[in-house]
Amino acid sequence: MKPVEQIKLPITKEMELFETKFKESMLSKVPLLNRITYYIVRRKGKQMRPMFVFLVAKMVSDGGFDERTYRGASIVELIHTATLVHDDVVDDSNQRRGFFSINALWKNKIAVLVGDYLLSKGLLLSIDNEDFDILKLISTAVREMSEGELLQIEKARKLDITEEVYFEIIRQKTATLIAACCAIGAASMNASKETIEEMRKFGECIGIAFQIKDDLFDYTEHKIGKPTGIDIKEQKMTLPLIYTLNTCSKEKKSWLINSVKKYNKDKKRVKEVIAFVKENGGLEYTVKKMHDYKNNAINILNKYPDSPYKGSLLKMIDYVVERKI
């Protein structure tokens, strides 16, 4: 059994019912929209975010469940899908999870409008049911995701990202949505403010570890679905590179910055940069940081009694740092 299937085991029934509810939450009177949303649903990913919502909800409430939890998961997935549709337009990407993206099939104008539609559906699902606490959590996440993307664009132009700024970018860009999922899971069961904040922090730690793992893929030779060195080609400043820049000689620092700025499309030079980062401890440092966040997440979970749901969340932490893609 695949790791994701194992994680899903305690919430199999909930995930099946969620799929039906999620499809219903997308329905429209416009046939074109229904065709596009049907296409989206059929090409769904691993659905990790709804899994976080359900597992946290059940862990903090001793296995209890509420209609609000389904709505929370649907809101997360609607808003997440909206951001992915918009991201593909922004990145001019023709593929998503190995399939054609919405903008590749229906052009940018329709893709932007579909993203807007999904966003409004998510907001209305909260408002119509007066889930204002859940609405606040997801809205904060969307704001932070936008800020993180813009901060990265601004810093990438100058290549002057410090480690502190790097962590702020990935916290906002990647971790904030997983943090919102975990907080929404707790909030949907009317948990205490302390528990909701604790679960938000737990999700943030996993999200940061997830992104650091992604950064490490840029330096591996294994086939992982994306070519090695792609972050360098795109002039993205990731942790292995930032650490190496901060610890090498002035002369080597100039060479590294010059390589990323002017020779980022030169395959031979990109390989040299990757080799230099490896030789200078960039990967070891990055792996250590990833494990620090992993351990922080485990420490938060250890405050809760053992249950199948806690067990699945522990497996989720392992999956995030051990995954091969």
Coordinates of all heavy atoms in Angstrom, one line a residue, residues 61-117:
S61 N -10.8 15.9 18.6 CA -12.2 15.7 19.2 C -12.5 14.2 19.5 O -13.6 13.8 19.6 CB -13.2 16.2 18.2 OG -13.2 15.4 17.0
D62 N -11.4 13.4 19.7 CA -11.5 12.0 20.0 C -12.4 11.3 19.0 O -13.3 10.5 19.3 CB -12.1 11.8 21.4 CG -11.1 12.3 22.5 OD1 -9.9 12.3 22.2 OD2 -11.6 12.8 23.5
G63 N -12.2 11.6 17.7 CA -12.9 10.8 16.6 C -14.2 11.4 16.2 O -14.9 10.9 15.4
G64 N -14.6 12.5 16.9 CA -15.9 13.2 16.5 C -15.8 13.8 15.1 O -14.8 13.9 14.5
F65 N -17.0 14.2 14.6 CA -17.0 14.8 13.3 C -18.2 15.7 13.1 O -19.2 15.5 13.8 CB -17.0 13.7 12.2 CG -16.1 14.0 11.0 CD1 -14.8 14.1 11.2 CD2 -16.7 14.2 9.8 CE1 -13.9 14.4 10.2 CE2 -15.8 14.5 8.7 CZ -14.5 14.6 8.9
D66 N -18.1 16.6 12.2 CA -19.2 17.6 12.1 C -19.3 18.0 10.6 O -18.4 18.0 9.9 CB -18.7 18.9 12.9 CG -19.9 19.9 13.1 OD1 -20.5 20.2 12.2 OD2 -20.1 20.3 14.3
E67 N -20.5 18.5 10.2 CA -20.7 18.9 8.9 C -19.8 20.1 8.5 O -19.4 20.3 7.4 CB -22.2 19.4 8.7 CG -22.7 19.5 7.3 CD -22.5 18.2 6.5 OE1 -22.8 17.1 7.0 OE2 -22.2 18.4 5.3
R68 N -19.5 20.9 9.6 CA -18.6 22.0 9.4 C -17.2 21.6 8.9 O -16.5 22.3 8.2 CB -18.4 22.7 10.8 CG -19.1 24.1 10.9 CD -19.2 24.5 12.3 NE -18.0 24.8 13.0 CZ -17.3 26.0 12.9 NH1 -17.8 27.0 12.2 NH2 -16.2 26.2 13.6
T69 N -16.8 20.4 9.3 CA -15.5 19.8 8.9 C -15.5 19.6 7.4 O -14.5 19.9 6.7 CB -15.2 18.5 9.7 OG1 -15.4 18.7 11.1 CG2 -13.7 18.1 9.5
Y70 N -16.6 19.0 6.9 CA -16.7 18.8 5.4 C -16.6 20.2 4.7 O -16.0 20.3 3.7 CB -18.0 18.1 5.1 CG -18.0 16.6 5.3 CD1 -18.8 16.1 6.3 CD2 -17.1 15.8 4.6 CE1 -18.7 14.7 6.6 CE2 -17.1 14.4 4.9 CZ -17.9 13.9 5.9 OH -17.8 12.5 6.1
R71 N -17.3 21.2 5.3 CA -17.3 22.5 4.6 C -15.9 23.1 4.6 O -15.5 23.6 3.7 CB -18.3 23.4 5.3 CG -19.8 23.1 5.0 CD -20.7 24.3 5.3 NE -20.7 24.7 6.7 CZ -21.4 24.2 7.6 NH1 -22.3 23.3 7.4 NH2 -21.4 24.7 8.9
G72 N -15.3 22.9 5.8 CA -13.9 23.4 5.9 C -13.0 22.8 4.9 O -12.2 23.5 4.2
A73 N -13.1 21.5 4.7 CA -12.3 20.8 3.7 C -12.6 21.3 2.3 O -11.7 21.5 1.4 CB -12.4 19.3 3.8
S74 N -13.9 21.5 2.0 CA -14.3 21.9 0.7 C -13.8 23.4 0.4 O -13.3 23.7 -0.7 CB -15.8 21.9 0.5 OG -16.3 20.6 0.5
I75 N -13.9 24.2 1.4 CA -13.4 25.6 1.3 C -11.9 25.6 0.9 O -11.4 26.3 0.0 CB -13.7 26.4 2.5 CG1 -15.2 26.7 2.7 CG2 -12.9 27.7 2.6 CD1 -15.6 26.9 4.1
V76 N -11.1 24.8 1.7 CA -9.7 24.7 1.5 C -9.4 24.3 0.0 O -8.6 24.8 -0.7 CB -9.1 23.7 2.5 CG1 -7.7 23.3 2.0 CG2 -9.0 24.4 3.9
E77 N -10.1 23.2 -0.4 CA -9.8 22.6 -1.7 C -10.3 23.6 -2.8 O -9.6 23.7 -3.9 CB -10.5 21.3 -1.8 CG -9.9 20.4 -2.9 CD -8.5 19.9 -2.6 OE1 -7.8 20.4 -1.7 OE2 -8.0 19.0 -3.3
L78 N -11.4 24.3 -2.6 CA -11.9 25.3 -3.6 C -10.8 26.4 -3.8 O -10.5 26.8 -4.9 CB -13.2 25.9 -3.2 CG -14.5 25.0 -3.5 CD1 -15.7 25.5 -2.7 CD2 -14.8 25.0 -5.0
I79 N -10.4 26.9 -2.7 CA -9.5 28.1 -2.7 C -8.1 27.6 -3.2 O -7.5 28.3 -4.0 CB -9.3 28.7 -1.3 CG1 -10.7 29.1 -0.8 CG2 -8.3 29.8 -1.3 CD1 -11.1 30.5 -0.7
H80 N -7.7 26.4 -2.8 CA -6.4 25.9 -3.3 C -6.4 25.7 -4.8 O -5.5 26.1 -5.5 CB -6.1 24.6 -2.6 CG -4.9 23.9 -3.1 ND1 -3.6 24.4 -3.1 CD2 -4.7 22.6 -3.6 CE1 -2.8 23.6 -3.6 NE2 -3.4 22.5 -3.9
T81 N -7.5 25.1 -5.3 CA -7.7 24.9 -6.7 C -7.7 26.2 -7.5 O -7.1 26.3 -8.5 CB -9.0 24.1 -7.0 OG1 -9.0 22.9 -6.2 CG2 -9.1 23.7 -8.5
A82 N -8.4 27.2 -6.9 CA -8.4 28.5 -7.6 C -7.0 29.1 -7.7 O -6.6 29.6 -8.7 CB -9.2 29.5 -6.7
T83 N -6.2 28.9 -6.6 CA -4.8 29.5 -6.7 C -3.9 28.7 -7.7 O -3.1 29.3 -8.4 CB -4.1 29.5 -5.3 OG1 -4.0 28.1 -4.8 CG2 -4.8 30.3 -4.3
L84 N -4.2 27.4 -7.8 CA -3.4 26.6 -8.8 C -3.8 27.0 -10.3 O -2.9 27.2 -11.1 CB -3.7 25.1 -8.7 CG -3.2 24.4 -7.4 CD1 -3.5 22.9 -7.4 CD2 -1.8 24.7 -7.1
V85 N -5.1 27.3 -10.5 CA -5.5 27.7 -11.8 C -4.9 29.1 -12.2 O -4.3 29.3 -13.3 CB -7.1 27.8 -11.9 CG1 -7.5 28.4 -13.2 CG2 -7.7 26.4 -11.8
H86 N -4.9 30.0 -11.2 CA -4.2 31.3 -11.4 C -2.7 31.2 -11.6 O -2.1 31.9 -12.4 CB -4.6 32.2 -10.3 CG -6.0 32.8 -10.4 ND1 -6.6 33.4 -9.3 CD2 -6.9 32.8 -11.4 CE1 -7.8 33.8 -9.7 NE2 -8.0 33.4 -11.0
D87 N -2.1 30.3 -10.8 CA -0.6 30.1 -10.9 C -0.2 29.6 -12.3 O 0.8 30.1 -12.8 CB -0.2 29.0 -9.9 CG 0.0 29.5 -8.5 OD1 -0.1 30.8 -8.3 OD2 0.2 28.7 -7.5
D88 N -1.0 28.7 -12.9 CA -0.7 28.2 -14.2 C -0.7 29.4 -15.2 O 0.1 29.4 -16.2 CB -1.6 27.1 -14.6 CG -1.3 25.8 -13.9 OD1 -0.2 25.7 -13.4 OD2 -2.2 24.9 -13.8
V89 N -1.6 30.3 -15.0 CA -1.7 31.5 -15.9 C -0.5 32.4 -15.7 O 0.2 32.8 -16.7 CB -3.0 32.3 -15.7 CG1 -3.0 33.6 -16.5 CG2 -4.2 31.5 -16.0
V90 N -0.2 32.7 -14.4 CA 1.0 33.5 -14.1 C 2.3 32.9 -14.6 O 3.1 33.6 -15.1 CB 1.1 33.7 -12.5 CG1 2.4 34.4 -12.1 CG2 -0.1 34.5 -12.0
D91 N 2.4 31.6 -14.5 CA 3.7 30.9 -14.9 C 3.7 30.5 -16.3 O 4.7 29.9 -16.8 CB 3.9 29.6 -14.0 CG 4.1 30.0 -12.5 OD1 4.4 31.1 -12.2 OD2 3.8 29.1 -11.7
D92 N 2.6 30.8 -17.0 CA 2.4 30.4 -18.4 C 2.7 28.9 -18.6 O 3.4 28.4 -19.5 CB 3.4 31.2 -19.3 CG 3.0 31.3 -20.8 OD1 1.8 30.9 -21.0 OD2 3.8 31.6 -21.6
S93 N 2.1 28.1 -17.7 CA 2.4 26.7 -17.6 C 1.2 25.9 -18.4 O 0.1 26.2 -18.2 CB 2.4 26.2 -16.2 OG 2.5 24.8 -16.1
N94 N 1.6 25.0 -19.2 CA 0.6 24.2 -20.0 C 0.3 22.9 -19.4 O -0.6 22.2 -19.9 CB 1.2 24.0 -21.4 CG 1.2 25.3 -22.2 OD1 0.3 26.2 -22.0 ND2 2.2 25.5 -23.0
Q95 N 1.0 22.6 -18.3 CA 0.7 21.3 -17.7 C 0.5 21.4 -16.2 O 1.1 22.2 -15.5 CB 1.8 20.3 -17.9 CG 1.8 19.7 -19.4 CD 2.4 18.3 -19.4 OE1 3.4 18.0 -18.7 NE2 1.8 17.5 -20.2
R96 N -0.3 20.5 -15.6 CA -0.6 20.4 -14.2 C -0.8 19.0 -13.9 O -1.7 18.4 -14.4 CB -1.8 21.3 -13.8 CG -2.3 21.1 -12.4 CD -1.5 21.6 -11.3 NE -1.2 23.1 -11.3 CZ -0.4 23.7 -10.5 NH1 0.2 23.0 -9.5 NH2 -0.1 24.9 -10.6
R97 N 0.1 18.4 -13.0 CA 0.1 17.0 -12.7 C 0.0 16.0 -13.9 O -0.7 15.1 -13.9 CB -1.1 16.7 -11.8 CG -1.2 17.4 -10.5 CD -2.3 17.0 -9.6 NE -2.4 17.8 -8.4 CZ -3.4 18.6 -8.1 NH1 -4.5 18.6 -8.9 NH2 -3.5 19.3 -7.0
G98 N 0.8 16.4 -14.9 CA 0.9 15.6 -16.1 C -0.3 15.7 -17.1 O -0.3 15.0 -18.1
F99 N -1.2 16.6 -16.8 CA -2.4 16.8 -17.7 C -2.3 18.3 -18.2 O -1.6 19.1 -17.6 CB -3.7 16.6 -17.0 CG -4.0 15.2 -16.5 CD1 -3.7 14.8 -15.2 CD2 -4.4 14.2 -17.4 CE1 -3.9 13.5 -14.8 CE2 -4.7 12.9 -17.0 CZ -4.4 12.6 -15.7
F100 N -3.0 18.5 -19.3 CA -3.1 19.9 -19.7 C -3.7 20.8 -18.6 O -4.7 20.4 -18.0 CB -3.9 20.0 -21.0 CG -3.2 19.6 -22.2 CD1 -3.7 18.5 -23.0 CD2 -2.1 20.2 -22.7 CE1 -3.0 18.0 -24.1 CE2 -1.4 19.8 -23.8 CZ -1.9 18.7 -24.5
S101 N -3.2 22.0 -18.5 CA -3.7 23.0 -17.5 C -5.0 23.6 -18.1 O -5.2 23.5 -19.3 CB -2.7 24.0 -17.2 OG -2.3 24.7 -18.4
I102 N -5.7 24.3 -17.3 CA -7.0 24.9 -17.7 C -6.7 26.0 -18.8 O -7.3 26.0 -19.8 CB -7.8 25.6 -16.6 CG1 -8.1 24.6 -15.4 CG2 -9.0 26.3 -17.0 CD1 -8.9 23.4 -15.9
N103 N -5.6 26.8 -18.6 CA -5.3 27.8 -19.6 C -4.8 27.2 -20.9 O -4.9 27.8 -21.9 CB -4.2 28.8 -19.0 CG -3.0 28.1 -18.3 OD1 -3.2 27.3 -17.4 ND2 -1.8 28.4 -18.8
A104 N -4.2 26.0 -20.8 CA -3.7 25.4 -22.1 C -4.9 24.9 -22.9 O -4.9 25.0 -24.2 CB -2.9 24.2 -21.8
L105 N -6.0 24.5 -22.3 CA -7.2 24.0 -23.0 C -8.2 25.1 -23.3 O -8.8 25.1 -24.4 CB -7.9 22.9 -22.2 CG -7.1 21.6 -22.0 CD1 -7.8 20.7 -21.0 CD2 -7.0 20.9 -23.3
W106 N -8.4 26.0 -22.4 CA -9.4 27.1 -22.6 C -8.9 28.5 -22.6 O -9.7 29.4 -22.6 CB -10.5 26.9 -21.4 CG -11.4 25.8 -21.6 CD1 -12.5 25.7 -22.4 CD2 -11.3 24.5 -20.9 NE1 -13.1 24.4 -22.3 CE2 -12.4 23.7 -21.4 CE3 -10.4 24.0 -20.0 CZ2 -12.6 22.4 -20.9 CZ3 -10.7 22.7 -19.5 CH2 -11.7 21.9 -20.0
K107 N -7.6 28.7 -22.7 CA -7.0 30.0 -22.8 C -7.0 30.8 -21.4 O -7.8 30.5 -20.5 CB -7.6 30.9 -23.9 CG -7.5 30.2 -25.3 CD -6.1 30.0 -25.7 CE -6.0 29.3 -27.1 NZ -5.2 28.2 -27.2
N108 N -6.2 31.8 -21.3 CA -6.0 32.5 -20.1 C -7.2 33.2 -19.5 O -7.5 33.2 -18.3 CB -4.9 33.6 -20.3 CG -3.5 33.0 -20.2 OD1 -3.3 31.8 -19.9 ND2 -2.5 33.8 -20.6
K109 N -8.0 33.9 -20.4 CA -9.1 34.6 -20.0 C -10.1 33.7 -19.2 O -10.5 34.1 -18.1 CB -9.8 35.3 -21.2 CG -11.0 36.2 -20.7 CD -11.6 37.0 -21.9 CE -12.7 37.9 -21.5 NZ -13.2 38.7 -22.6
I110 N -10.4 32.6 -19.8 CA -11.4 31.6 -19.1 C -10.7 31.1 -17.9 O -11.4 31.0 -16.8 CB -11.8 30.5 -20.1 CG1 -12.7 31.1 -21.2 CG2 -12.4 29.3 -19.4 CD1 -13.2 30.1 -22.3
A111 N -9.4 30.8 -17.9 CA -8.8 30.2 -16.7 C -8.8 31.2 -15.5 O -9.1 30.8 -14.4 CB -7.3 29.9 -17.0
V112 N -8.6 32.5 -15.8 CA -8.6 33.5 -14.7 C -10.1 33.6 -14.1 O -10.3 33.6 -12.9 CB -8.2 34.9 -15.2 CG1 -8.5 36.0 -14.2 CG2 -6.7 34.9 -15.5
L113 N -11.1 33.6 -15.0 CA -12.5 33.7 -14.6 C -12.9 32.4 -13.8 O -13.6 32.5 -12.8 CB -13.4 33.8 -15.8 CG -13.3 35.2 -16.5 CD1 -14.0 35.1 -17.9 CD2 -13.8 36.3 -15.7
V114 N -12.4 31.2 -14.2 CA -12.7 30.0 -13.5 C -12.0 30.1 -12.1 O -12.7 29.7 -11.1 CB -12.2 28.8 -14.2 CG1 -12.2 27.5 -13.3 CG2 -13.0 28.5 -15.5
G115 N -10.8 30.6 -12.0 CA -10.2 30.8 -10.7 C -10.9 31.7 -9.8 O -11.2 31.4 -8.6
D116 N -11.4 32.8 -10.4 CA -12.2 33.8 -9.6 C -13.5 33.1 -9.1 O -14.0 33.3 -8.0 CB -12.6 35.0 -10.5 CG -11.4 35.8 -10.8 OD1 -10.4 35.7 -10.1 OD2 -11.5 36.7 -11.7
Y117 N -14.1 32.3 -10.0 CA -15.4 31.6 -9.6 C -15.2 30.6 -8.5 O -15.9 30.6 -7.5 CB -15.9 30.8 -10.9 CG -17.1 29.9 -10.6 CD1 -18.4 30.4 -10.4 CD2 -16.9 28.5 -10.4 CE1 -19.4 29.6 -10.1 CE2 -18.0 27.7 -10.1 CZ -19.2 28.2 -10.0 OH -20.3 27.4 -9.7

